Amino acid sequence: MNIKIAGGRVIDPSQSLDQVCDLYISNGLIIAHGDAPEGFVPDSTLDASGQVVCPGLVDLCAHLREPGATHKGSIAQESHAAAAGGITTLVAMPTTSPIVDTPAVAQLIQDKARATGKARVLPMGALTQGLAGEQLSPMHALASSGCIAFTNSRRPIRSSLVLMRCLEYAATHDLLVLFQAQDAELSGGCMHDDTTSTRLGLAGIPEAAETVEVARCLMLVEQTGARAHFGQISCERSARMIMEARERGLNVSADIAIHHLLLSDSNVNGFDSNFHVIPPLRSQLDRAGLRQALLAGGIQAICSDHQPHDPIAKQAPFAATEPGIAGLETLLSLSLMLVEQDVLDLPRLIAMLSCEPARILGIQAGTLNNGAAADICIFNPAARWTPSADKTRSGGANSPFIGTELGGRVTHTLLGGKVVFQL
């Protein structure tokens, strides 16, 4: 099938492309932009006038609740939500039930995602058996079953020896390890440890809960030579440490969840449980420092850190609620705030949502190069819309941005040349 996407502003940071032109697709692949290939006859044409045509987004962190907690969201629901957000590839964390520490579970997730056909789902395997932090998982077998990387999520690996053995094994087989750095003993609170937590009487989580673990992980990465990524960092000092490690030649990268770039601990002032996230929303100084790290190259990607919950999970006193924000559908619109606020220009933002995360994962995605799969996001940067709980496609409507007018909206998402979302 031949598709022509006509008249859009085509932005592809992977090839430094930013121009108004047509894009041509044939049999699920991008075959040209600009002038039509000889003999090309479109079966359908998408009018993208006034809109931005960019690579489908690559989201580095989504907690899918299937298997095990489908009352919070199924793979089908979250895949639909991803498509509505312009996301064509998402990385699923291993924190399902059962945990992704066997090839069978990894395969199950991929089979269900393929059956839905709305987004490419890349499972991440557990770094240790059962995420218990004691024994190495069968990483090689998991990688052979499609696991794109390995993490212990926020479950602790208390023994540095066990962690070093994990990294040694990963380095031997060139496997990517993802850290969600968090010291278990320092992370007993529910929000950032500062004046706001003191005033509200809520137990705080100090910056050291993250930075201490980042330091330990960096030392072991340097010792083993492993390829590592730090996911969803929240502290300015973490970004600086990772940046300094990169300057020393370590093969490390980092991402940040979009809500940590937009919100701070002051938003918790009303005890709204939708602001309960882990890592917690940090200080305004941290937020400013993280924004600066985006510009300085300390952070390479932006993600949703999508965590859908059922309503009951958020209906309790703040500290007793489950942390997390459902963010697949709002990732792009929220990220566009950084352009409105002159933090990033649009091509750089798109890079951090597409080709940069693809580069971290080492996959062929996040590009509109000729021959690449036609995974495409088309959005109207001038559109205004307001997310509502009753219209969300995700299983969870737990977002502090519900009811907030946002700028920029996805109008079409193509996956392998097939329209999987149309507004």
Side-chain angles (χ1 to χ4, degrees), residues 30-42:
I30 296 165
I31 58 170
H33 66 271
D35 297 329
E38 187 175 345
F40 182 89
V41 178

Side-chain angles (χ1 to χ4, degrees), residues 99-107 110 123-129 136-150 175:
I99 286 165
V100 185
D101 61 0
T102 66
V105 180
Q107 199 60 56
Q110 293 171 90
M124 196 173 289
L127 193 58
T128 62
Q129 284 283 4
L136 275 64
S137 70
M139 281 189 267
H140 192 271
L142 289 168
S144 300
S145 301
C147 288
I148 191 69
F150 296 87
L175 303 174

Side-chain angles (χ1 to χ4, degrees), residues 181-204:
Q182 176 175 289
D183 181 276
E185 275 70 31
L186 293 171
S187 302
C190 62
M191 70 169 293
H192 177 57
D193 186 22
D194 208 336
T195 55
T196 303
S197 65
T198 301
R199 186 171 65 253
L200 297 178
L202 296 173

Side-chain angles (χ1 to χ4, degrees), residues 55 83 148 156 161 194 237 246 263 266 308 381:
I148 191 69
L161 179 62
D194 208 336
R237 183 161 173 73
R246 285 169 62 84
L263 305 172
S266 63

Side-chain angles (χ1 to χ4, degrees), residues 176-251:
L176 176 66
V177 174
L178 182 141
F179 298 115
Q180 291 181 313
Q182 176 175 289
D183 181 276
E185 275 70 31
L186 293 171
S187 302
C190 62
M191 70 169 293
H192 177 57
D193 186 22
D194 208 336
T195 55
T196 303
S197 65
T198 301
R199 186 171 65 253
L200 297 178
L202 296 173
I205 302 174
E207 284 186 10
E210 181 174 294
T211 54
V212 164
E213 185 66 4
V214 168
R216 180 177 78 135
C217 293
L218 284 173
M219 291 300 104
L220 293 176
V221 166
E222 191 161 16
Q223 172 75 27
T224 60
R227 188 161 54 96
H229 177 76
F230 288 83
Q232 303 85 61
I233 61 171
S234 65
C235 303
E236 182 265 350
R237 183 161 173 73
S238 300
R240 275 197 284 123
M241 287 194 292
I242 294 165
M243 190 158 49
E244 289 165 4
R246 285 169 62 84
E247 290 169 357
R248 293 203 308 275
L250 271 64
N251 190 357

Side-chain angles (χ1 to χ4, degrees), residues 16-29:
S16 301
L17 176 65
D18 183 357
Q19 66 181 77
V20 175
C21 64
D22 300 335
L23 194 68
Y24 301 92
I25 299 166
S26 181
N27 296 322
L29 303 178

